[in-house]
Amino acid sequence: MAEEHRSAESITKETLLQDLKRLAIDRAGTLLVHSSMKSIGPACGGPDAVLDALADYMRDGLLVLPTHTWAYVNKDGAEFRVADSLTCVGLLTERFRKRPGVFRSWHPTHSVAALGRDAESFVAGDERFPTPCARGSAWGRLLDRQATILLIGVDLTRNTFIHGIEEWADIPNRLADEPKQLYTIAPDGARIAAPVRGHTTPVWEHYGKVDELLQRKSVMRLGRFGHAETRVCDAAQMTTLLSAMLRVEPDLFLDDTPIDPGRYGGLV
């Protein structure tokens, strides 16, 4: 039976493990997952079966999911409660953050949750950074660890890591000039001031303009996980290519204008 025609009964933890193997994900590496549970299909065991497959596959590495709260922790005085604040980026992320052994970072708007090797140290200290994806935060540590980014049933518009690439390149007019005074409420109840200069320009709507290019340059490849189309991205290669393009054209993602190869001197 073709993968895209699997019945509900045939999507199981075991078949999802096989999918991850076919995607050639490094079991001992670092894997960031953005996901749409609906696109995966009705797996036997539901969301927990999906998370079980991801966790088991990555048991010798580090599994990371976003647990963002920017959709509602976004006004002066707003509080992010590490233990209780719901994620705004999907069902799997909310289930994942509550699992035994998972550590959540303390950034008030762009937290992540991690399970596995070095998970606690990976998420530590993010509340100290006044921007969403600082180079010293978990988002930058993904680059340090040469992570793989797996987009399950979602496209590049959901790839928060590209925000990091733009931030590290110091692209103008992407972040607010002045921070909002937010607060992180630690698991022990401590209230920590955590000001954040949030995103101001919806450039993520245009991240898809490099989809074909990333595939052609072997920075990203397509596959399947359950019923979902997936994109498997190399974080380090993506950073190298997009950083070079942003040096030529800082407003690369400001609109959907097609990429002009001649502008980049053979880079693309």
Side-chain angles (χ1 to χ4, degrees):
M1 178 182 296
E3 287 180 281
E4 50 268 46
H5 295 111
R6 284 176 178 165
S7 67
E9 291 72 26
S10 68
I11 303 176
T12 66
K13 174 185 171 182
E14 288 69 29
T15 62
L16 293 175
L17 284 168
Q18 293 169 13
D19 290 342
L20 291 168
K21 184 176 181 180
R22 276 191 290 270
L23 290 169
I25 304 297
D26 180 4
R27 294 175 178 268
T30 297
L31 179 67
L32 169 69
V33 178
H34 289 279
S35 59
S36 162
M37 180 64 206
K38 181 179 180 180
S39 71
I40 295 169
C44 295
D48 286 324
V50 175
L51 293 173
D52 286 345
L54 290 167
D56 283 6
Y57 188 90
M58 293 301 298
R59 62 182 178 273
D60 295 324
L62 181 69
L63 176 64
V64 183
L65 271 68
T67 53
H68 300 171
T69 53
W70 47 260
Y72 63 94
V73 181
N74 56 22
K75 297 179 180 179
D76 281 325
E79 294 181 341
F80 163 61
R81 297 182 175 273
V82 177
D84 302 316
S85 289
L86 304 178
T87 77
C88 63
V89 283
L91 173 62
L92 290 176
T93 66
E94 179 63 18
R95 292 285 189 97
F96 181 70
R97 75 171 183 86
K98 298 177 180 178
R99 289 196 148 209
V102 170
F103 294 89
R104 189 182 196 180
S105 66
W106 293 10
H107 193 280
T109 61
H110 283 70
S111 65
V112 300
L115 175 68
R117 191 180 68 241
D118 307 321
E120 186 171 12
S121 61
F122 178 81
V123 304
D126 275 15
E127 70 279 6
R128 298 180 288 112
F129 298 103
T131 59
C133 303
R135 182 63 180 85
S137 73
W139 294 100
R141 293 179 201 125
L142 290 168
L143 175 57
D144 295 337
R145 297 171 72 105
Q146 299 185 0
T148 297
I149 301 170
L150 179 61
L151 307 175
I152 301 175
V154 296
D155 60 22
L156 287 172
T157 64
R158 298 296 185 266
N159 190 351
T160 303
F161 187 80
I162 301 179
H163 277 301
I165 295 172
E166 286 202 295
E167 188 173 317
W168 310 332
D170 198 24
I171 303 301
N173 303 317
R174 295 296 179 265
L175 300 175
D177 293 333
E178 298 296 328
K180 291 180 179 178
Q181 184 58 70
L182 309 179
Y183 294 89
T184 290
I185 309 301
D188 65 2
R191 191 171 190 254
I192 303 166
V196 174
R197 295 169 54 218
H199 295 126
T200 57
T201 307
V203 288
W204 58 88
E205 296 176 353
H206 310 299
Y207 287 165
K209 69 190 291 182
V210 296
D211 193 287
E212 185 277 333
L213 172 65
L214 295 182
Q215 292 181 59
R216 179 161 48 82
K217 302 293 282 188
S218 299
V219 173
M220 183 179 79
R221 49 195 166 80
L222 302 184
R224 300 203 73 80
F225 182 78
H227 291 170
E229 182 178 66
T230 64
R231 286 167 168 78
V232 183
C233 310
D234 184 301
Q237 291 183 28
M238 180 179 290
T239 301
T240 298
L241 177 60
L242 296 186
S243 296
M245 294 177 71
L246 288 165
R247 284 193 291 272
V248 175
E249 179 48 69
D251 285 338
L252 171 65
F253 294 117
L254 198 57
D255 56 36
D256 279 328
T257 302
I259 294 169
D260 176 6
R263 185 167 190 173
Y264 295 94
L267 179 64
V268 303

